[in-house]
Amino acid sequence: MSYSAELFRPHLHTVFFIQAPEGRQIELLLDEIKTCATDNSPFQHFSLLFSCSGALQLRQGTFNLRHQSLPELALFLVPVAKNDQVYRYQASFSVAR
């Protein structure tokens, strides 16, 4: 499977699940897909932004994400924001066209 923004668009505003290091299942909502238009680049650049409510903040790292309509995905997530009890995580891609 090749990653692309188009692969994830049908799953915008749906829930992905990860298993936290201590065994707890965590829900991440895919709430934004950012694309970067670069006509001259041989790469497609895009980011997925997820939100997660709760007291547990994930550290930057690779996590296996599960979704009801996709195979398991290993994504590198970076915490990018916190607002009250909502954390935001970003996965960035540069994929050959």
Side-chain angles (χ1 to χ4, degrees), residues 5 23 34 36 42 49-50 61 70-71 84 86 93:
K34 289 185 177 182
C36 179
L49 289 143
F50 297 91
L70 294 169
D84 295 322
V86 176
F93 300 84

Side-chain angles (χ1 to χ4, degrees), residues 5-64:
E6 291 74 32
L7 172 70
F8 292 99
R9 282 196 205 291
H11 310 294
L12 191 60
H13 305 296
T14 64
V15 175
F16 288 72
F17 298 93
I18 65 168
Q19 199 75 29
E22 67 279 345
R24 190 172 125 200
Q25 181 170 278
I26 297 174
E27 294 183 10
L28 297 174
L29 177 68
L30 176 58
D31 53 12
E32 189 176 354
I33 300 172
K34 289 185 177 182
T35 57
C36 179
T38 52
D39 294 333
N40 298 334
S41 175
F43 297 96
Q44 176 191 31
H45 305 284
F46 69 97
S47 294
L48 307 177
L49 289 143
F50 297 91
S51 61
C52 175
S53 59
L56 176 67
Q57 179 180 1
L58 300 171
R59 292 183 161 200
Q60 174 176 301
T62 303
F63 295 90
N64 293 324

Side-chain angles (χ1 to χ4, degrees), residues 61-79:
T62 303
F63 295 90
N64 293 324
L65 279 75
R66 290 179 289 109
H67 187 276
Q68 66 183 9
S69 302
L70 294 169
E72 189 170 286
L73 308 165
L75 299 182
F76 188 79
L77 299 178
V78 177

